[in-house]
């Protein structure tokens, strides 16, 4: 009993620590920019805006309209990608499963490239987002359809199928980039590396509408996810339909990840690395792993975006590039730390 309370306390402390770091990092991320604004003034301005007591319209415009959308998008995106990583790794029982290795991010990349090279992005960015969303859902739908056939429904086959789709989408995207003009090529490149710079308040409701309800539904199914992670035979013995549960969870993660990458571009490693790091501190119980990973992912995205704006003077590294710099070595360290045991 004492061990249970000690473990529960450690989990709660970790979750509260993630919240505290995310709030602090978000404050500094909003404060950082060409106009020097203090951390305290940032939150005072946000509070005054919420209660309708705007005393400095210039500072309110900079903080609320210009700087805040990318921070909010980073938190939502980090939550969504991290939760997708937890679910995909548990459902497919594969430590390498995340939106990128299942082809979802590559599908979105192909959709965005198609819209940009076809000239749709000149009119507005809505067609780019719509095509990115539609093509990001294709790998998920393909994996779900494949899971209906028992001969090809093993977790290993499904993750390999996703990797195959990823390479196919990447090949088509590369061909289209070779045909595009220099202006389109620059736009495609910026989208491919992942960035929060162009997200506006108009985009936030669409991200929220899928990421937050989807995350809550996944949390509601955390118990079933624990059962499913033990294997299909155990799940059936406990009265759970593994195929139906797997399809529902994959559909949810497809919608969540599509909602994120359609607005931010391809950002790797959040969904892959976050669950592994969080498991070190709180274990593999999905009832705690899902909310802790969501908060850690949101915090990680905000910190990575802030680092991308601070590291090189007068230049900004896209958050996708920063995540690659941070996530790659971290993932290698995790593999070496676990030795031959990757899960």
């Amino acid at each position: 009993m004492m061990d249970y309370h000690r473990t529960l306390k450690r989990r709660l402390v970790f979750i509260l620590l993630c919240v505290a770091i995310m709030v602090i990092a978000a404050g500094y991320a909003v404060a950082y920019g060409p106009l020097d604004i203090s951390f305290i003034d940032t939150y005072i301005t946000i509070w005054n805006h919420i209660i309708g007591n705007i005393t400095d319209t210039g500072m309110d415009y900079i903080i609320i309209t210009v700087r805040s959308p990318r921070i909010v998008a980073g938190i939502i995106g980090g939550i969504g990608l991290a939760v997708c990583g937890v679910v995909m790794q548990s459902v497919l029982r594969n430590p390498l499963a995340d939106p990128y290795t299942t082809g979802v991010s590559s599908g979105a990349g192909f959709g965005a490239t198609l819209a940009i090279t076809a000239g749709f992005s000149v009119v507005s960015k809505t067609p780019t987002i719509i095509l990115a969303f539609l093509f990001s859902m294709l790998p998920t739908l393909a994996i779900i359809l494949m899971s209906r056939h028992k001969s090809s429904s093993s977790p290993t086959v499904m993750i390999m199928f996703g990797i195959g789709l990823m390479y196919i989408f990447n090949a088509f995207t590369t061909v289209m980039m070779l045909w595009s003009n220099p202006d389109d090529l620059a736009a495609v490149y910026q989208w491919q590396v992942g960035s929060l710079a162009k997200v506006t308040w108009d985009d936030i409701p669409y991200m929220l509408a899928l990421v937050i309800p989807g995350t809550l539904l996944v949390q509601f199914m955390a118990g079933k996810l624990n059962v499913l992670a033990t294997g299909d035979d155990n799940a059936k013995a406990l009265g759970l339909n593994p195929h139906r549960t797997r399809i529902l969870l994959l559909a949810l993660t497809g919608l969540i990840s599509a909602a994120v990458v359609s607005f931010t571009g391809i950002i790797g490693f959040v969904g892959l690395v976050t669950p592994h790091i969080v498991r070190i501190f709180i274990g593999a119980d999905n009832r705690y792993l899902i909310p802790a990973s969501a908060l850690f992912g949101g915090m990680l995205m905000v910190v990575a975006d802030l680092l991308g704006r601070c590291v090189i003077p007068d230049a900004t590294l896209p958050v996708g590039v920063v995540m690659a710099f941070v996530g790659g070595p971290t993932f290698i360290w995790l593999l070496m730390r676990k030795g031959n045991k990757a899960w």
Side-chain angles (χ1 to χ4, degrees), residues 10-175:
R10 187 176 70 248
R11 288 167 172 167
L12 291 176
V13 168
F14 180 82
I15 289 173
L16 291 175
L17 191 62
C18 287
V19 173
I21 295 175
M22 184 164 64
V23 171
I24 295 171
Y28 278 110
V30 175
Y32 184 81
L35 178 63
D36 189 24
I37 302 174
S38 73
F39 177 83
I40 299 298
D41 286 342
T42 297
Y43 276 111
I44 289 175
T45 303
I46 292 173
W47 175 250
N48 286 336
H49 184 88
I50 292 173
I51 65 175
N53 181 30
I54 301 173
T55 56
D56 188 335
T57 54
M59 186 177 293
D60 181 82
Y61 177 80
I62 292 172
I63 290 178
I64 302 298
T65 305
V66 177
R67 297 184 183 176
S68 292
R70 70 183 298 157
I71 311 304
V72 176
I75 293 173
I76 299 171
I79 289 173
L81 293 175
V83 169
C84 289
V86 172
V87 175
M88 288 179 174
Q89 288 172 13
S90 295
V91 167
L92 301 177
R93 300 203 300 280
N94 192 308
L96 296 178
D98 81 332
Y100 190 79
T101 55
T102 51
V104 174
S105 296
S106 299
F110 173 73
T113 303
L114 184 65
I116 293 170
T117 55
F120 295 149
S121 61
V122 176
V123 181
S124 74
K125 65 178 182 180
T126 303
T128 305
I129 293 169
I130 291 175
L131 283 179
F133 185 86
L134 292 177
F135 278 96
S136 66
M137 286 301 296
L138 287 181
T140 303
L141 293 174
I143 292 175
I144 288 174
L145 289 174
M146 195 179 70
S147 69
R148 296 170 65 90
H149 300 282
K150 291 184 179 180
S151 61
S152 58
S153 63
S154 75
T156 302
V157 172
M158 283 193 281
I159 189 68
M160 291 176 70
F161 185 77
I163 292 173
L165 288 177
M166 178 188 73
Y167 281 113
I168 293 171
F169 277 126
N170 286 345
F172 277 116
T173 300
T174 302
V175 171

Side-chain angles (χ1 to χ4, degrees), residues 201-212:
W201 280 118
D202 293 335
D203 303 325
I204 300 298
Y206 298 104
M207 296 178 70
L208 280 173
L210 289 175
V211 172
I212 301 304

Side-chain angles (χ1 to χ4, degrees), residues 14-15 18 22 75 77-87 89 215 219 270-271 273-280 282-283 285-301:
F14 180 82
I15 289 173
C18 287
M22 184 164 64
I75 293 173
I79 289 173
L81 293 175
V83 169
C84 289
V86 172
V87 175
Q89 288 172 13
T215 299
Q219 177 64 38
V270 179
V273 172
T274 296
H276 291 289
I277 295 175
V278 177
R279 280 192 196 96
I280 294 173
I282 69 167
D285 187 341
N286 284 294
R287 294 174 301 171
Y288 301 96
L289 181 61
I290 291 170
S293 295
L295 293 169
F296 190 89
M299 175 200 73
L300 190 62
M301 283 275 277

